[in-house]
Amino acid sequence: MNGADTGTSAMDRKAGMNCPQCGTFIETTIFQLLTTNALVCPSCCLRLNIDRVKSRQAFDALRKVQAAQDNLESRSKFNR
């Protein structure tokens, strides 16, 4: 077994990041990242502002991922 394997598949993991100040996991979604200007740590209340200009390429990629997820979801509902 690989040492990096935590027993959780990529599909089961929550999206987000660890707070740089306290280490608490800040859960988020692609939709939240695309529509908010900041993430706030639920533990220490650190506010992480999102620089949309410097992050333009990342936001373009997130929009594509969101569109693909929406497309997949609509197709799976249609096929039921």
Side-chain angles (χ1 to χ4, degrees), residues 1 8 11 21 23 25 30 33 36 41 58 65-66 70 72 74 77:
M1 189 177 265
T8 304
M11 294 297 290
Q21 183 166 299
F25 189 73
I30 293 173
L33 288 173
T36 62
C41 175
V65 170
Q66 183 68 52
D70 292 345
L72 179 63
S74 68
K77 286 180 183 177

Side-chain angles (χ1 to χ4, degrees), residues 8-73:
T8 304
S9 74
M11 294 297 290
D12 293 335
R13 279 184 264 159
K14 299 288 183 182
M17 62 178 279
N18 290 333
C19 174
Q21 183 166 299
C22 72
T24 299
F25 189 73
I26 303 169
E27 188 174 335
T28 189
T29 64
I30 293 173
F31 180 77
Q32 286 175 314
L33 288 173
L34 291 173
T35 60
T36 62
N37 292 321
L39 297 176
V40 179
C41 175
S43 183
C44 71
C45 298
L46 177 70
R47 180 181 174 92
L48 300 166
N49 294 317
I50 300 170
D51 186 332
R52 294 189 177 281
V53 174
K54 289 183 180 177
S55 304
R56 187 180 65 78
Q57 286 182 318
F59 277 93
D60 290 345
L62 284 174
R63 283 184 197 92
K64 289 178 183 177
V65 170
Q66 183 68 52
Q69 285 180 337
D70 292 345
N71 186 26
L72 179 63
E73 187 175 308

